[in-house]
Amino acid sequence: MTPKETLLIKRGHNESELASAARILRDGGLVIIPTETVYGLGCSAYSAIGAYNVFEAKGRPHDNPLIVHVADPAEAENFAHTTPLYYKLAKQFMPGPLTVILKKKDVIPDEVTAGGGTVGVRCPSHPTARELIRLAGVPVAAPSANLSGSPSPTTFEHCVKDMLGRVDAIVDGGACEVGLESTVVLLTGEDSLKILRPGAVDEGALSCVASDVTVADGLKKGEKPLSPGMKYKHYAPRVPLILLDGTDEAVASFIDAEMKKGGVFFICYEEDAKKYGNKAYSIGKKEDEAAHAKNLFAALRYADELDDADIKKIYTYLPTDGGTGLLPAIYNRLIRAADHTVMKV
Ligand code: TXA
Ligand code: MG
């Protein structure tokens, strides 16, 4: 790939800077946009070349479809076949961290949907994302803005690290509020849907809108989760990640002993981080699941980028399998990053 000159649009940008980014999008260029879940690597959803270039910039297999972002749920009419259930979901959860898969119309090129007949629709709640989409005047196809194989980016700095020279512009929107990618649902009937990827909109919340909510194979409690998009390689750190299954006391004494031996790094709660200095990264207070979700990818990136050849293992707690709220999403991302490596302590 020939390196591109990347326009960096920092926080506090003015309307005309955002308008330049919008123009790039409209003209088929690549712009990284902040959303409340993770940053997205966007292009016009009507541009076949733009979509092709998104896959190239990420190093992503061309058969994994992109999500299309809108500033208002009703804009889905322009490119997808909506249903009453779509609007019921939109009323409840959009703008917000939910992607709904609908049948696509012909205006969406095959490059966006990887040749498939459906398209994911998402209306992000981040004000900068919505403003950019509105200014661009086109729906924006965007996967997460990481290089294929690294965790989704949740800060401007993560995006610069992965994508400088590979995209036309990066727009800073601060740290992503949610920190984990959207819940993806497939509408399977008039009043039924299937969760394909867990996110901040949980099964209970969806059940208040659709009477029949199921979860895809591999996502049920106790089942071995499949890769994202079912068959694609998921993020795995350079140094193996191991999930510790045990009481707080058992984990603490195991980590103490491992720290004495050396060669380990601990992704942990704020309460424990101080004890281990630069060998630990805090994802927030123990009870604060929102903080864990928000900080998880930054923690994985941090651990992976440690310029410390002595680190041989990364440990963290095994999160609860099942549960409500963000727990299924946290479990899903961590168990895959650890390649299902769980150690009883
Ligand atoms: O929060 C998010 O969803 C972020 C932000 C940027 O919006 N986007 C994101 O995109 O995570 P991506 O491409 O990294 O993940 C989208 C997932 C993939 O696993 C893909 O296989 C699935 O959604 N997906 C997209 N379109 C689909 C479709 N038409 N049918 C089935 N799965 C689809
Ligand atoms: Mg992704």
Side-chain angles (χ1 to χ4, degrees):
M1 228 184 113
T2 326
K4 287 170 179 276
E5 195 166 320
T6 304
L7 174 67
L8 297 180
I9 303 180
K10 300 272 178 56
R11 282 226 96 170
H13 48 254
N14 55 38
E15 185 79 3
S16 84
E17 286 175 291
L18 217 52
S20 324
R23 212 169 311 117
I24 296 172
L25 279 172
R26 196 166 48 239
D27 294 345
L30 307 189
V31 177
I32 293 185
I33 62 171
T35 86
E36 75 282 16
T37 56
V38 303
Y39 278 75
L41 200 181
C43 69
S44 163
Y46 298 148
S47 170
I49 291 174
Y52 181 89
N53 289 336
V54 163
F55 286 96
E56 291 296 296
K58 266 182 76 86
R60 167 168 171 153
H62 285 264
D63 62 349
N64 190 3
L66 307 181
I67 290 174
V68 174
H69 298 70
V70 291
D72 183 284
E75 288 165 21
E77 296 296 340
N78 297 329
F79 60 86
H81 296 281
T82 62
T83 66
L85 181 54
Y86 167 75
Y87 280 106
K88 277 207 253 173
L89 291 165
K91 185 158 180 253
Q92 204 64 34
F93 304 114
M94 292 184 189
L98 177 71
T99 297
V100 181
I101 313 275
L102 297 172
K103 289 206 175 67
K104 83 172 187 86
K105 291 184 176 169
D106 287 345
V107 281
I108 298 284
D110 283 345
E111 282 74 5
V112 169
T113 60
T118 57
V119 62
V121 181
R122 171 157 135 70
C123 178
S125 65
H126 196 297
T128 308
R130 294 176 74 204
E131 184 61 13
L132 246 176
I133 299 165
R134 207 174 290 122
L135 288 169
V138 286
V140 173
S144 51
N146 51 293
L147 279 175
S148 208
S150 65
S152 295
T154 53
T155 66
F156 176 72
E157 290 71 26
H158 294 160
C159 298
V160 171
K161 173 122 209 316
D162 277 17
M163 291 293 168
L164 192 71
R166 303 178 78 85
V167 297
D168 297 299
I170 305 178
V171 180
D172 188 357
C176 300
E177 247 339 283
V178 178
L180 298 178
E181 306 89 342
S182 61
T183 306
V184 178
V185 301
L186 179 69
L187 305 190
T188 48
E190 251 174 50
D191 204 22
S192 58
L193 60 83
K194 186 189 265 188
I195 301 173
L196 301 185
R197 178 174 71 183
V201 176
D202 76 350
E203 194 181 336
L206 291 163
S207 301
C208 296
V209 178
S211 62
D212 178 18
V213 174
T214 51
V215 290
D217 288 345
L219 291 181
K220 295 180 195 96
K221 186 170 154 65
E223 262 182 7
K224 198 169 163 166
L226 304 166
S227 298
M230 305 303 182
K231 62 173 179 159
Y232 303 98
K233 193 183 155 310
H234 54 79
Y235 160 73
R238 199 171 35 88
V239 177
L241 173 69
I242 297 159
L243 307 182
L244 301 174
D245 181 9
T247 60
D248 287 358
E249 295 71 31
V251 169
S253 64
F254 175 81
I255 291 290
D256 280 343
E258 287 290 287
M259 287 284 174
K260 283 205 190 88
K261 286 190 234 157
V264 300
F265 189 82
F266 189 30
I267 294 175
C268 60
Y269 304 133
E270 197 178 296
E271 292 85 340
D272 307 320
K274 289 183 203 87
K275 196 162 152 194
Y276 304 115
N278 64 359
K279 298 288 183 231
Y281 189 104
S282 160
I283 52 168
K285 291 206 164 63
K286 182 173 192 296
E287 304 302 330
D288 190 352
E289 280 152 22
H292 306 166
K294 182 171 178 173
N295 296 318
L296 182 60
F297 287 147
L300 291 171
R301 275 179 178 261
Y302 181 90
D304 220 18
E305 284 161 14
L306 283 174
D307 200 13
D308 187 343
D310 291 339
I311 300 288
K312 300 281 187 288
K313 286 172 194 161
I314 306 167
Y315 290 113
T316 193
Y317 322 92
L318 174 70
T320 311
D321 183 6
T324 59
L326 288 156
L327 278 173
I330 294 173
Y331 179 82
N332 171 271
R333 306 311 189 272
L334 265 177
I335 196 85
R336 286 188 289 114
D339 203 14
H340 312 282
T341 313
V342 177
M343 186 188 281
K344 254 213 148 3
V345 291

